[in-house]
Amino acid sequence: MSSTIRIALIGAGQVSDFHHKPAIDLDPRCELAAVCDPDASLLEKRRGEWGEASYVTDYQAVCDDPNVDAAIVATPNFTHREITEALCAAGKHVMCEKPLAVTAEDAQAMADAADAVGVVHMTAFTYRFAPSMRYVKHLTETGELGTPYHFRSQRWLDWGEKSWGWRQYKKTAGAGDLYDMTIHRIDFAEDLMGKLAAVCGAVARFKERTVGSDGSAVPPSDVDDWSSLIGRFEAGGTGVWEGSVLMKGHHNDGVGYEWAEVNGSTGSAAYQLTDPSKVLVGTNGKDLEHLPVPEEFLKHPDSPRDPREGKPSTVFRYDLVTEFVSAIAQGRPAVPDFHHGVRAQLIADAVLASSDGAGWVTV
């Protein structure tokens, strides 16, 4: 591997454009080496926007490219396993978007493939890197909130009534809000509170979206628009999660609304996506108050970015690539890795089983 980590983006859509490409450009330790997407017209568009790199329509060309050290997989969920296993077989380090696959079994196969060849692997759980979430984790770990009793998360988005493309079908996405949004909150709840022992949950579909973005008719959606669960943690705490992508009035320039909190025996702390550089903290007998997140938690320790530049709810997302590159450069596991992705998907699948009538499900 060269001294500069050469990264391929597999999937040239909005997520790569919004999160991953700016992060690669920001980090002097890495460079964009290749871009892969089956849509040739999108590839040409990205060639004009993103500049010098190899542009290919077949992911196997990335696997075979000796000038690629690592890849970020940002493709539809049903393609993740096939692409990731091919990358691992070629010895490439891999970061994959969440959920890792359309089933927990496929996600486990991806983790096994990566472990078998010893490559760095990472699940793109973006919100772990929000400054206020990093600080809430610090407060929880250091005992400043006392014994953690309870976790609560609420995530609302206003995605509208038109088709969401591949994301609205079980065959290609696995599930809807549960896999796309609530799975993030499942992951950082376990990061804060430890492993879940059992969950009980439900999902619902409010709309059968049958109109495409261009006005054409499409097959009706068959995934959930809303998901909710309650859980018991192995350490004794409890949790409540709720999310939906059809909540009117919660657009907020695409950011939506999010609140997550930990309530402990001596204090509580909460994170908001709309103001991720501040944290809400309250102790016995006092109200929650907005406080600035301390400087050392505003970004990943290895990040070259200035945390005061850019939109706060956007720029922390670049720290995903920072962690991926740091893990490769330092020869250590990335956090969160594929095993964290598998764990979150096992819990999400338990929620689907519960919603189908299984009641409380042991994880």
Side-chain angles (χ1 to χ4, degrees):
M1 189 174 74
S2 69
S3 58
T4 300
I5 297 168
R6 301 163 298 183
I7 299 177
L9 288 175
I10 302 180
Q14 187 177 30
V15 170
S16 288
D17 192 41
F18 184 50
H19 293 184
H20 305 314
K21 174 57 166 59
I24 292 169
D25 291 344
L26 188 68
D27 196 324
R29 301 172 299 172
C30 65
E31 66 182 16
L32 181 65
V35 181
C36 176
D37 199 283
D39 185 340
S41 61
L42 177 58
L43 268 186
E44 284 308 303
K45 181 175 185 288
R46 294 304 188 214
R47 188 193 300 270
E49 295 169 340
W50 292 355
E52 185 176 349
S54 169
Y55 289 82
V56 297
T57 55
D58 183 356
Y59 70 82
Q60 190 60 48
V62 174
C63 299
D64 296 339
D65 190 341
N67 295 313
V68 170
D69 304 309
I72 297 173
V73 179
T75 57
N77 301 346
F78 75 100
T79 68
H80 288 178
R81 177 178 177 177
E82 178 182 316
I83 295 171
T84 296
E85 287 183 335
L87 289 165
C88 291
K92 313 295 187 187
H93 307 291
V94 190
M95 176 162 71
C96 185
E97 278 294 333
K98 52 77 223 165
L100 284 184
V102 293
T103 66
E105 290 78 11
D106 281 351
Q108 184 63 59
M110 293 165 63
D112 292 343
D115 283 344
V117 295
V119 296
V120 171
H121 49 86
M122 184 174 179
T123 305
F125 282 135
T126 319
Y127 299 90
R128 281 206 192 198
F129 296 89
S132 47
M133 181 53 66
R134 286 165 49 81
Y135 189 51
V136 170
K137 178 176 171 63
H138 168 77
L139 294 175
T140 306
E141 284 186 333
T142 56
E144 295 195 40
L145 305 179
T147 302
Y149 288 156
H150 177 252
F151 171 86
R152 180 167 70 95
S153 168
Q154 191 175 52
R155 178 69 164 127
W156 298 145
L157 288 158
D158 183 0
W159 274 12
E161 310 299 317
K162 289 189 176 180
S163 167
W164 304 334
W166 62 265
R167 284 182 173 85
Q168 71 174 27
Y169 303 111
K170 290 179 182 177
K171 183 173 75 171
T172 49
D177 173 80
L178 179 64
Y179 268 21
D180 203 49
M181 290 293 160
T182 298
I183 201 165
H184 278 291
R185 284 84 221 167
I186 292 170
D187 170 69
F188 63 56
E190 285 210 325
D191 190 41
L192 293 168
M193 303 278 290
K195 286 188 174 182
L196 278 158
V199 297
C200 180
V203 297
R205 183 171 64 252
F206 300 141
K207 296 284 185 179
E208 289 190 346
R209 292 172 298 282
T210 58
V211 179
S213 58
D214 60 357
S216 62
V218 298
S221 59
D222 63 0
V223 298
D224 54 287
D225 302 321
W226 167 88
S227 60
S228 183
L229 63 144
I230 56 176
R232 300 188 182 108
F233 291 91
E234 289 181 357
T238 61
V240 179
W241 296 253
E242 189 178 16
S244 178
V245 290
L246 285 178
M247 293 303 187
K248 308 305 181 189
H250 289 289
H251 190 262
N252 288 330
D253 293 325
V255 172
Y257 165 80
E258 181 174 9
W259 175 285
E261 68 180 288
V262 173
N263 300 296
S265 58
T266 61
S268 297
Y271 138 87
Q272 292 176 291
L273 178 57
T274 50
D275 195 8
S277 296
K278 291 186 178 178
V279 66
L280 289 99
V281 180
T283 54
N284 286 341
K286 296 182 180 180
D287 295 334
L288 288 172
E289 59 175 327
H290 278 93
L291 300 172
V293 172
E295 185 78 18
E296 63 267 33
F297 298 97
L298 289 177
K299 64 175 185 175
H300 189 286
D302 298 334
S303 173
R305 67 181 177 86
D306 183 341
R308 284 162 289 278
E309 292 184 0
K311 186 177 180 180
S313 59
T314 296
V315 293
F316 75 79
R317 302 168 193 269
Y318 304 161
D319 289 3
L320 273 169
V321 169
T322 301
E323 169 60 15
F324 185 45
V325 171
S326 291
I328 295 169
Q330 296 162 14
R332 61 169 176 81
V335 179
D337 64 14
F338 280 0
H339 298 293
H340 295 103
V342 171
R343 178 73 190 170
Q345 201 151 353
L346 282 168
I347 295 163
D349 286 0
V351 172
L352 293 174
S354 179
S355 187
D356 284 342
W360 279 93
V361 177
T362 300
V363 181

